[in-house]
Amino acid sequence: MKREPPQTEEGWYVLHDLRHVDWDAWRAAPERDRDRALTDGIDYLEYFEAVEDSSEGQSAVYTVLGDKADLMILHLRPTMADLDAAERQFEQTEFARYTEQATSYVSVTEASGYTEKAREYFDGEVDDDSGLAQYIQARLHPDVPDEEFVCFYPMSKRREPDQNWYDLPFAERAEHIKRHGDIGRQYGGKVEQMIAGSIGFDDHEWGITLWSDDMTHVKDLLTQMRFDPSTSKFADFGRFYVGRRFAPSDLPAVMNGQRVPTEDTNASGATTDGRTQPTDGAHPGTRETATAGQSGDAGSHGGVHPGSSAEGDHPHDGGDMASRDGEADEASESGDGHPAGGGRPDPGDASYEETDDLAQRLATMGLSEGEDYDAGDYGLLFYSESDAEALADEVADLRESFDHYDRHVATTVRAQSGRAAVVSIWTAREAAETAAGFLGDVSGVSDTYGGHLGEGAADEPEPTTANSSEEIQQQLADANVYAGQPNGEDVFALVLYSEADPETLSTEVAELTESFDHYDTHEGTAVYEAGEPLDAATADADQPRAAVVSLWETQSAADTASGFLTDLPEIVGRPDEGDGFGTMGMFYTVEPDHREEFVETFDEVGELLDEMDGHRETTLLANRDDENDMFIASQWDGKEDAMAFFRSDEFAETVQWGRTVLADRPRHVFLA
């Protein structure tokens, strides 16, 4: 069956021209020949970088680290003929005699989308002067950012028999892209990107160019995205090229092996006051500029940040034609440490003034209790200097994301006294604080307020962990992930079972754990492999033999982590879980000298359990990376049967004995 392709619009044509330098020929050349080559090279690069009219395109030059190339010249031009001329004109320079093209990539900037608003744009239902239309045009004709580092790579969507992106239904592709874009949005302000389509142009289907002043941001972004199915299942990559931008006037320094930018120039070649000014330097064209090591004007703007609109049908696409263009939240590096993949900002980053008269303020905008919200709800009021229409487009997709949460009441844009205002209402302050991390990033935000709506609402208690646990249990039940708070613990746990090969499962979990360990709220994630059940007579032959346990300090962090864990292979429920009751004892760390004794004692416990009414099965699992770390899972006919065992003298004696052989206090009974 033929699938529906996304609508697209194209902008500038793009050439990544990567060059090797013939260093032997360069060193052997007479000094006068090298000087002539440098003069010619600088003149060429300055001519193409000095395009004043943005309609004529952009150019930049970078060193390239490693052996794949030495230089990369990037051109963006209105037509393919312009690129053709730019490439051939370089070959006419004296400098080109000392270079050889290592590789090249031809593409065209592209906007595509899957949302209803995107289709309205492509169908001509959006005014050309609207904020959305202007935003998309800016993405199709981007400025090359002044960030120090560049990362370029080509990629394609996979077309294997069981992993064919182009065979997926339109709605499924849209969901992949939207979720993937949520990851990218967290790197706004840290990573800029340009997406260019190359189907029919080059060997891959897209060319991805990322810019940042810190390459670890690029690494973190791509690491997060590797765990999303849009990448893990459907993306194939070409070679990666990493470089540093330099001003054309620094070409002599580059060829001499000096650090660039030099003390006299920044990456864009501008002086400290923004003027281009020749000096008495070693070569005509040298610039007298800002402090060494700076990579251009921090105030300049560049390409679209990951996850924002107009990015195309690719792994970094937000599929979101009206998403925000500002810097995104920094949840990925927050002290609270929520994994970035979940798209949640750190609530601690939410900044607004608490006010008691928010209900009165909203009333002046036509929002009233009983009609638009209930007494006890919590509201946010963020004023913006942006145009209300453009702001409405920007907020529309935030609202779509908010609607996935039961606590969301309403988010809308209103005009008041010449200013635009974003109003967002939630049933709980905790949820509103999370939303504030997103709303603070919309364009032009200035004054921000928050407060309870309705008399007496401020005295309402915050949601308890138990209630939060119940919510997450319900959300994850269909995915066979058990979630909740261990008895007497201040951590939040996630447990799932898998029928995958334990070694394969461990490899995938190890990669997740490496990512999770970047966050302070992560307490540990491990794979436990089962031995024989203590009640082999009643054991189900299909009982999964591996469990993954992940502990977090906060519910919100665990909730976010669950999004990654549910992508692990072959997740299954436990037999009889629908009509039974499960218990899980976690992180029994046994003293090495007592491990054998611990296992033998559990055999004895098995004899006791055989005599307990309602007991079905108990399995002892061991951490694959630490055999002294144990996990115990039991299945009962019902909760009362399990509680009868926990209240027994035999259980109390077992606990007391455990204190003599355990290296640490166990996280002791998690009720699933």
PDB file of all heavy atoms in Angstrom, residues 63-74:
ATOM      1  N   THR A  63      38.201  24.406  10.042  1.00  0.00           N
ATOM      2  CA  THR A  63      39.166  23.321  10.073  1.00  0.00           C
ATOM      3  C   THR A  63      38.392  22.031  10.338  1.00  0.00           C
ATOM      4  O   THR A  63      37.277  22.066  10.860  1.00  0.00           O
ATOM      5  CB  THR A  63      40.193  23.516  11.193  1.00  0.00           C
ATOM      6  OG1 THR A  63      39.514  23.545  12.457  1.00  0.00           O
ATOM      7  CG2 THR A  63      40.965  24.819  11.010  1.00  0.00           C
ATOM      8  N   VAL A  64      38.961  20.894   9.996  1.00  0.00           N
ATOM      9  CA  VAL A  64      38.343  19.595  10.290  1.00  0.00           C
ATOM     10  C   VAL A  64      39.337  18.764  11.081  1.00  0.00           C
ATOM     11  O   VAL A  64      40.493  18.615  10.679  1.00  0.00           O
ATOM     12  CB  VAL A  64      37.927  18.857   9.000  1.00  0.00           C
ATOM     13  CG1 VAL A  64      37.341  17.481   9.339  1.00  0.00           C
ATOM     14  CG2 VAL A  64      36.916  19.688   8.220  1.00  0.00           C
ATOM     15  N   LEU A  65      38.907  18.231  12.207  1.00  0.00           N
ATOM     16  CA  LEU A  65      39.771  17.427  13.055  1.00  0.00           C
ATOM     17  C   LEU A  65      39.793  15.982  12.565  1.00  0.00           C
ATOM     18  O   LEU A  65      38.782  15.462  12.094  1.00  0.00           O
ATOM     19  CB  LEU A  65      39.296  17.462  14.510  1.00  0.00           C
ATOM     20  CG  LEU A  65      39.626  18.727  15.315  1.00  0.00           C
ATOM     21  CD1 LEU A  65      38.801  19.914  14.851  1.00  0.00           C
ATOM     22  CD2 LEU A  65      39.403  18.496  16.806  1.00  0.00           C
ATOM     23  N   GLY A  66      40.959  15.339  12.701  1.00  0.00           N
ATOM     24  CA  GLY A  66      41.092  13.954  12.288  1.00  0.00           C
ATOM     25  C   GLY A  66      41.578  13.832  10.857  1.00  0.00           C
ATOM     26  O   GLY A  66      41.943  14.816  10.206  1.00  0.00           O
ATOM     27  N   ASP A  67      41.569  12.591  10.350  1.00  0.00           N
ATOM     28  CA  ASP A  67      42.178  12.325   9.050  1.00  0.00           C
ATOM     29  C   ASP A  67      41.195  12.339   7.886  1.00  0.00           C
ATOM     30  O   ASP A  67      41.589  12.098   6.747  1.00  0.00           O
ATOM     31  CB  ASP A  67      42.891  10.968   9.087  1.00  0.00           C
ATOM     32  CG  ASP A  67      41.925   9.797   9.245  1.00  0.00           C
ATOM     33  OD1 ASP A  67      40.745  10.042   9.580  1.00  0.00           O
ATOM     34  OD2 ASP A  67      42.353   8.643   9.064  1.00  0.00           O
ATOM     35  N   LYS A  68      39.908  12.629   8.144  1.00  0.00           N
ATOM     36  CA  LYS A  68      38.922  12.566   7.070  1.00  0.00           C
ATOM     37  C   LYS A  68      39.040  13.752   6.127  1.00  0.00           C
ATOM     38  O   LYS A  68      38.689  13.656   4.951  1.00  0.00           O
ATOM     39  CB  LYS A  68      37.513  12.521   7.649  1.00  0.00           C
ATOM     40  CG  LYS A  68      37.266  11.327   8.547  1.00  0.00           C
ATOM     41  CD  LYS A  68      35.929  11.470   9.279  1.00  0.00           C
ATOM     42  CE  LYS A  68      35.781  10.425  10.360  1.00  0.00           C
ATOM     43  NZ  LYS A  68      34.586  10.661  11.188  1.00  0.00           N
ATOM     44  N   ALA A  69      39.495  14.890   6.648  1.00  0.00           N
ATOM     45  CA  ALA A  69      39.676  16.102   5.844  1.00  0.00           C
ATOM     46  C   ALA A  69      40.455  17.101   6.676  1.00  0.00           C
ATOM     47  O   ALA A  69      40.665  16.903   7.886  1.00  0.00           O
ATOM     48  CB  ALA A  69      38.335  16.687   5.409  1.00  0.00           C
ATOM     49  N   ASP A  70      40.891  18.191   6.046  1.00  0.00           N
ATOM     50  CA  ASP A  70      41.587  19.267   6.757  1.00  0.00           C
ATOM     51  C   ASP A  70      40.754  20.535   6.834  1.00  0.00           C
ATOM     52  O   ASP A  70      40.848  21.288   7.814  1.00  0.00           O
ATOM     53  CB  ASP A  70      42.926  19.570   6.079  1.00  0.00           C
ATOM     54  CG  ASP A  70      43.888  18.397   6.155  1.00  0.00           C
ATOM     55  OD1 ASP A  70      44.232  18.001   7.288  1.00  0.00           O
ATOM     56  OD2 ASP A  70      44.273  17.864   5.103  1.00  0.00           O
ATOM     57  N   LEU A  71      39.950  20.775   5.794  1.00  0.00           N
ATOM     58  CA  LEU A  71      39.146  21.996   5.724  1.00  0.00           C
ATOM     59  C   LEU A  71      37.739  21.649   5.239  1.00  0.00           C
ATOM     60  O   LEU A  71      37.552  20.695   4.477  1.00  0.00           O
ATOM     61  CB  LEU A  71      39.769  23.007   4.751  1.00  0.00           C
ATOM     62  CG  LEU A  71      41.182  23.511   5.041  1.00  0.00           C
ATOM     63  CD1 LEU A  71      41.691  24.328   3.857  1.00  0.00           C
ATOM     64  CD2 LEU A  71      41.205  24.351   6.314  1.00  0.00           C
ATOM     65  N   MET A  72      36.772  22.439   5.694  1.00  0.00           N
ATOM     66  CA  MET A  72      35.422  22.327   5.156  1.00  0.00           C
ATOM     67  C   MET A  72      34.919  23.719   4.816  1.00  0.00           C
ATOM     68  O   MET A  72      34.906  24.608   5.665  1.00  0.00           O
ATOM     69  CB  MET A  72      34.462  21.682   6.157  1.00  0.00           C
ATOM     70  CG  MET A  72      33.038  21.550   5.594  1.00  0.00           C
ATOM     71  SD  MET A  72      31.917  20.618   6.671  1.00  0.00           S
ATOM     72  CE  MET A  72      31.611  21.828   7.959  1.00  0.00           C
ATOM     73  N   ILE A  73      34.536  23.907   3.564  1.00  0.00           N
ATOM     74  CA  ILE A  73      33.935  25.160   3.125  1.00  0.00           C
ATOM     75  C   ILE A  73      32.439  24.905   2.954  1.00  0.00           C
ATOM     76  O   ILE A  73      32.032  24.004   2.213  1.00  0.00           O
ATOM     77  CB  ILE A  73      34.550  25.652   1.798  1.00  0.00           C
ATOM     78  CG1 ILE A  73      36.071  25.741   1.919  1.00  0.00           C
ATOM     79  CG2 ILE A  73      33.963  27.006   1.421  1.00  0.00           C
ATOM     80  CD1 ILE A  73      36.776  26.023   0.596  1.00  0.00           C
ATOM     81  N   LEU A  74      31.646  25.684   3.648  1.00  0.00           N
ATOM     82  CA  LEU A  74      30.198  25.515   3.615  1.00  0.00           C
ATOM     83  C   LEU A  74      29.578  26.663   2.832  1.00  0.00           C
ATOM     84  O   LEU A  74      29.818  27.835   3.128  1.00  0.00           O
ATOM     85  CB  LEU A  74      29.642  25.514   5.048  1.00  0.00           C
ATOM     86  CG  LEU A  74      28.117  25.539   5.201  1.00  0.00           C
ATOM     87  CD1 LEU A  74      27.492  24.289   4.610  1.00  0.00           C
ATOM     88  CD2 LEU A  74      27.734  25.696   6.670  1.00  0.00           C
TER      89      LEU A  74
END
